[in-house]
Amino acid sequence: MSDLESFRNDVRDWLEANCPDSMRKPMKSEKDICWGGKRFEFSSGDQKAWLERMAEKGWTCPSWPKEYGGGGLSKDEAQILKEEMERIKARPPLISFGIWMLGPALLKYGSEEQKRHYLPQITRGEIRWAQGYSEPGAGSDLAALRTKGDDKGDHWVVNGQKVWTSYADECDWIFALVRTEPDAPKHLGISFLLIDMEWDGVSTKPIKLISGKSPFCETFFDDVKVPKENIVHESGRGWDVAKYLLSHERANIAGGGSGAQMNPVAAAHKSGEVDENGRVADPILRGDIARLTIDALAFETTLQRIKDQADGGQGVGAKASMLKYYGTELNKRRHELNMSALGSDGLLWEGENPEDGDPARGWLRSRANSIEGGTSEIQLNILAKRVLELPGG
Amino acid sequence: MSYILSEEEQMLRDSAQAFLAEKSPVSELRRLRDEGCKDGFRHAIWKDMADMGWNGIVIPEEYGGVDMGFTAAGLILQEMGRTLAATPFLASSVLCATALRYGGTEGQKSEHLPKIASGEKVYALAVDEKARHDASHIETRARKDGNGFRLSGQKRHVVCGNGADMLIVAARMDDDSIGLFLVDPETSGVERTLRRSVDSHAPANIHFDDVKLDGDALLSETEDGSALLDLVLDSGRACLAAEQLGIAEEAFSRTLDYIKEREQFGQKIGSFQSLQHRAAHLLTEVEMTQSLVIKALRQLDEAPSQAPLWIAAAKAKATRVSRLSSAEAIQMHGGVGMTDEYEIGFFYKRAQAAGEFLGDDAWGAGRVAELSGY
């Protein structure tokens, strides 16, 4: 038996013995997601046990090095773990910004002390991280940010405001972009700082969206003292870290898309808009859905193909922008057609069941897909400059 | 299945690129048009292609082919799309070769496949009878007559039909099932009318008036002529989608070069954001098309039962994107894009014709809905 085959057998046995039955059922709501963090309340003993057992193996972050709390798995081994978890429909033991955003950035840019300190807290789900990038005056033009840190020798005093900080009211720490060198050129005066949200002067306020309640917050910094050792990478080079991290975020938004499982055909069945053969009754709507299917197949195939190319050593680079652009525009279309197929049933906002109003909320929420993580227009700018090498304007 | 080309496939693509750039650039299509060529292709180039082994690309070695599969055929067609090479490759070496390979008896295969592979004869497939592609609408009749058949009906816009030496004709038999028949166009009762088309190819309308056929004219290795026809058409669609992809890529690449050079208002027009966004959108659409085309071709080679959905999606997407790319090309070229002297218009014309053949994007959407069960 090859090493990989015996690894697969070991994984299978271990999961069989350690993954609780209730963690092998699909997640029904937001509540079933394990985000971790100091203030997180487990929804069941099984959820807690599942996290602890996986964290013990380092399998909440399978490919991170063992010395930082990861599983130290090779790419092939990590793939096997993923497949075996999918086979038994195991829920992810932990989902967090720490895992898919800060972690990769620390692995690339963090100091040895920072990696040893922060990464294991992430893999064990002890600390929940928020992202502090956008500001009221700095959205697409992120480098225009004005939150500033005054140099006081061994620390900075940070003042300013961030917006769109997801779940900030439930997070323990925040990684934030702060202008520490006011005289440096726009992109060069920014530093990447790690800030404890319990420190004096940090406060948050939730934002309500067109879709209703949202995870987004405003976060305020009012004379917050941040020690110098809490900087990642060099002072003034925070932009490098931010860019690196954004490319991870883009790949994630493009791949995930809240509506990937949502299906306008199922919607037509629900609202009774099908004929006796089970075909979508309105022929034009049926055609629109079919065109969506075609583009969704194209997108799915492109994700696979870019992955194949990356495995073959070709860089993904600016192609993340292509995926972000296409994937989010596609997701918006999917939600629009879902609403069309539901007809007036889709207009429900509140009702007797907790899931009443989900289609409308999902549809409204999808409008943000092509704004967050860099707007569609910003992605097109990146493609025009970095891939097509069109002249600057 | 892999989305990456093998070394052998890359070599094939490179040699196709070099050959077509030299022997069949866009200027060659212009020459064919201006000479009023009635066959729609250059026989000398067709012979050269046979010498390269291309004409037998999906034909088994025992019948003179190289048997490299549909992905390989698609790669050649993609390069043909880039130079707009007008050849019988799709009609003869893909559609008819596939019909004979999977539907022909031993005798039919050994008689006809070597002729396709060597380029000695050109074959064309006659299916459509309506203006829009619809393979379910076949009213041409093949009545049983002694040991043979009598063929009557009318085929419309048969691609490569005017220059073909042999036809494979889809007809309805006495029990209403579909049969594919080998018909020599010189047989009495066959009448061809050349239809010069916008892409400078030479299709023909073909009338069959009580044409007498021998019993062995019917491709009879399989009982299910309808399934055979589906397979033949799908092989053609997957490969044609590759040609459309080549059209989209080349039109886009020429446009990109142009907007990097052309100056207005004292600057390169490629520096304008309105054009940059359109170009970046096209880049993305072309990338999506590339993925679907290679997926469809590989499925056809490796998992044919799964292929129809991917082929319909690829043909639809390639139709839309090749038309979009060549239409945007004209717009971004501005006035010169409208002139006959500039080559970009040839891409727009061919994209329209290639899109129509074997089913356009609307057809593909209908098929995808049907195969997906909605």
Side-chain angles (χ1 to χ4, degrees):
Chain A
M1 195 186 314
S2 78
D3 288 353
L4 283 178
E5 282 171 66
S6 76
F7 178 76
R8 187 184 290 278
N9 287 336
D10 293 347
V11 168
R12 193 172 287 190
D13 292 345
W14 188 89
L15 286 174
E16 199 45 62
N18 288 282
C19 183
D21 285 347
S22 68
M23 292 295 108
R24 304 183 192 192
K25 299 200 169 71
M27 296 194 277
K28 282 203 212 76
S29 72
E30 179 96 342
K31 245 183 45 229
D32 290 337
I33 300 177
C34 177
W35 291 100
K38 288 186 204 164
R39 278 175 283 176
F40 184 71
E41 284 174 27
F42 290 99
S43 61
S44 69
D46 280 351
Q47 192 186 43
K48 184 161 186 276
W50 177 225
L51 169 62
E52 285 170 356
R53 290 172 194 167
M54 286 292 276
E56 179 67 32
K57 297 283 280 183
W59 287 356
T60 50
C61 300
S63 53
W64 292 9
K66 271 195 165 147
E67 62 266 38
Y68 307 135
L73 301 189
S74 68
K75 216 173 66 187
D76 290 341
E77 290 170 337
Q79 179 62 28
I80 287 173
L81 173 61
K82 187 165 165 268
E83 287 167 8
E84 288 302 314
M85 286 178 66
E86 281 166 3
R87 200 179 59 82
I88 62 166
K89 303 193 171 64
R91 293 181 187 176
L94 178 67
I95 288 177
S96 81
F97 286 12
I99 293 177
W100 54 269
M101 293 171 79
L102 180 62
L106 279 179
L107 282 169
K108 185 167 170 74
Y109 290 104
S111 68
E112 188 55 31
E113 291 86 341
Q114 286 171 333
K115 289 182 202 170
R116 289 189 182 280
H117 181 70
Y118 293 108
L119 293 177
Q121 294 178 338
I122 292 174
T123 64
R124 293 196 298 262
E126 291 166 359
I127 296 293
R128 184 168 176 187
W129 285 88
Q131 179 199 44
Y133 274 23
S134 301
E135 298 182 9
S140 287
D141 185 10
L142 191 54
L145 59 90
R146 296 215 305 248
T147 294
K148 63 174 176 143
D150 288 325
D151 195 334
K152 302 288 182 186
D154 66 342
H155 67 276
W156 287 285
V157 171
V158 174
N159 278 287
Q161 178 192 351
K162 295 290 175 183
V163 287
W164 310 118
T165 45
S166 310
Y167 302 102
D169 51 346
E170 294 167 28
C171 286
D172 307 305
W173 280 67
I174 184 168
F175 50 92
L177 292 177
V178 174
R179 188 167 299 285
T180 52
E181 291 166 36
D183 303 327
K186 201 171 161 187
H187 289 84
L188 288 176
I190 297 168
S191 294
F192 191 97
L193 304 185
L194 307 177
I195 301 174
D196 188 335
M197 299 192 70
E198 286 181 4
W199 287 343
D200 284 345
V202 183
S203 59
T204 65
K205 192 177 130 200
I207 300 172
K208 193 175 172 189
L209 294 184
I210 53 174
S211 50
K213 190 177 175 299
S214 88
F216 295 109
C217 294
E218 294 175 285
T219 298
F220 303 90
F221 302 100
D222 190 10
D223 283 339
V224 180
K225 272 174 75 172
V226 180
K228 283 277 171 82
E229 66 260 28
N230 280 31
I231 187 171
V232 177
H233 201 34
E234 294 160 36
S235 176
R237 303 302 299 271
W239 192 249
D240 299 343
V241 188
K243 265 200 318 196
Y244 178 73
L245 198 148
L246 270 173
S247 70
H248 277 259
E249 184 184 7
R250 273 168 200 154
N252 218 296
I253 293 177
S258 59
Q261 314 83 357
M262 190 219 8
N263 175 353
V265 174
H269 277 271
K270 247 188 211 164
S271 61
E273 290 293 330
V274 288
D275 66 15
E276 61 275 13
N277 301 316
R279 288 159 44 132
V280 176
D282 185 315
I284 310 277
L285 179 61
R286 178 171 179 261
D288 285 349
I289 295 174
R291 289 187 191 277
L292 174 84
T293 302
I294 290 166
D295 288 345
L297 289 173
F299 181 66
E300 175 194 312
T301 317
T302 303
L303 279 178
Q304 278 298 323
R305 185 163 143 255
I306 288 183
K307 194 167 157 283
D308 267 20
Q309 289 168 345
D311 291 351
Q314 290 182 40
V316 174
K319 283 197 173 167
S321 289
M322 206 182 280
L323 297 176
K324 206 284 180 178
Y325 168 61
Y326 204 84
T328 56
E329 295 296 334
L330 190 67
N331 201 41
K332 289 194 295 184
R333 254 171 79 202
R334 189 183 282 118
H335 276 280
E336 285 165 5
L337 286 171
N338 197 54
M339 288 294 280
S340 297
L342 285 170
S344 60
D345 287 357
L347 302 176
L348 191 63
W349 185 248
E350 274 167 0
E352 291 159 13
N353 307 311
E355 67 269 21
D356 287 341
D358 280 357
R361 287 168 205 276
W363 160 67
L364 289 163
R365 176 62 182 83
S366 74
R367 303 315 297 179
N369 294 163
S370 51
I371 301 171
E372 58 205 348
T375 61
S376 284
E377 291 72 21
I378 289 286
Q379 307 311 322
L380 293 173
N381 283 348
I382 292 171
L383 292 171
K385 296 206 164 56
R386 306 233 324 256
V387 180
L388 300 179
E389 297 176 336
L390 288 166
Chain B
M1 75 146 266
S2 169
Y3 292 94
I4 313 286
L5 296 185
S6 69
E7 216 163 285
E8 197 186 15
E9 289 166 341
Q10 281 179 34
M11 278 168 56
L12 176 69
R13 190 191 55 191
D14 292 348
S15 74
Q17 210 165 54
F19 173 87
L20 292 163
E22 190 203 328
K23 302 273 181 145
S24 192
V26 181
S27 53
E28 166 65 14
L29 178 65
R30 182 192 294 277
R31 255 195 309 278
L32 283 173
R33 179 194 72 176
D34 294 347
E35 290 166 6
C37 175
K38 287 194 170 122
D39 290 341
F41 66 95
R42 187 84 63 198
H43 286 268
I45 294 175
W46 185 235
K47 275 284 184 203
D48 287 344
M49 283 172 56
D51 294 342
M52 312 269 294
W54 296 355
N55 297 3
I57 199 94
V58 299
I59 292 174
E61 287 173 23
E62 55 193 300
Y63 305 111
V66 294
D67 203 10
M68 284 181 71
F70 291 110
T71 305
L75 289 173
I76 293 175
L77 269 158
Q78 187 179 350
E79 295 307 321
M80 291 181 166
R82 285 180 163 275
T83 68
L84 300 179
T87 79
F89 185 76
L90 181 71
S92 202
S93 300
V94 176
L95 289 166
C96 290
T98 304
L100 281 159
R101 176 172 186 172
Y102 294 101
T105 60
E106 189 49 47
Q108 289 166 329
K109 285 195 275 197
S110 38
E111 185 188 344
H112 297 283
L113 286 175
K115 289 181 186 161
I116 294 179
S118 67
E120 180 195 334
K121 301 277 185 203
V122 166
Y123 286 58
L125 181 75
V127 176
D128 278 325
E129 299 177 9
K130 293 169 68 179
R132 283 177 58 77
H133 173 66
D134 180 359
S136 69
H137 181 98
I138 289 173
E139 289 179 347
T140 294
R141 282 278 164 188
R143 278 184 298 106
K144 193 89 179 124
D145 178 39
N147 286 331
F149 299 91
R150 292 279 182 164
L151 186 73
S152 288
Q154 172 80 38
K155 293 291 178 184
R156 181 128 73 160
H157 207 86
V158 175
V159 163
C160 218
N162 211 53
D165 305 301
M166 184 63 85
L167 303 170
I168 295 181
V169 182
R172 224 165 264 288
M173 312 219 279
D174 290 336
D175 63 356
D176 278 345
S177 66
I178 299 292
L180 296 182
F181 294 86
L182 284 154
V183 181
D184 183 337
E186 298 302 319
T187 316
S188 144
V190 180
E191 196 191 336
R192 293 193 274 192
T193 315
L194 171 65
R195 271 164 71 90
R196 291 200 180 280
S197 57
V198 69
D199 57 343
S200 309
H201 285 222
N205 284 352
I206 307 182
H207 187 70
F208 302 93
D209 182 14
D210 206 25
V211 178
K212 193 171 176 341
L213 300 176
D214 290 341
D216 65 359
L218 173 66
L219 299 187
S220 50
E221 188 59 26
T222 164
E223 299 256 298
D224 191 348
S226 189
L228 173 63
L229 180 59
D230 268 348
L231 171 69
V232 169
L233 293 172
D234 262 353
S235 68
R237 288 168 188 137
C239 292
L240 182 52
E243 181 189 334
Q244 293 173 302
L245 171 61
I247 295 169
E249 289 172 333
E250 181 65 18
F252 180 49
S253 145
R254 288 178 181 223
T255 305
L256 209 54
D257 290 345
Y258 184 78
I259 67 175
K260 285 179 181 175
E261 288 305 316
R262 168 78 171 168
E263 289 189 13
Q264 289 287 272
F265 306 103
Q267 49 189 314
K268 310 281 190 212
I269 61 173
S271 68
F272 299 133
Q273 199 177 41
S274 56
L275 296 195
Q276 289 190 346
H277 281 193
R278 288 164 72 164
H281 174 72
L282 263 179
L283 168 76
T284 309
E285 290 286 10
V286 169
E287 180 91 18
M288 297 295 146
T289 312
Q290 289 166 342
S291 307
L292 275 182
V293 167
I294 183 78
K295 176 87 180 185
L297 290 166
R298 289 265 197 248
Q299 289 286 90
L300 195 54
D301 281 329
E302 293 171 20
S305 67
Q306 305 298 308
L309 176 73
W310 295 101
I311 292 170
K315 182 67 172 69
K317 188 78 183 162
T319 295
R320 242 173 134 79
V321 173
S322 58
R323 288 175 179 175
L324 176 72
S325 177
S326 53
E328 286 285 79
I330 291 183
Q331 179 66 22
M332 293 198 216
H333 275 78
V336 294
M338 286 299 295
T339 63
D340 185 64
E341 189 189 342
Y342 244 72
E343 289 181 346
I344 205 73
F346 284 80
F347 287 86
Y348 187 58
K349 294 174 185 175
R350 179 61 193 151
Q352 187 60 30
E356 182 53 47
F357 187 42
L358 303 178
D360 64 4
D361 54 320
W363 172 88
R367 173 113 163 146
V368 163
E370 194 184 297
L371 292 170
S372 310
Y374 62 80

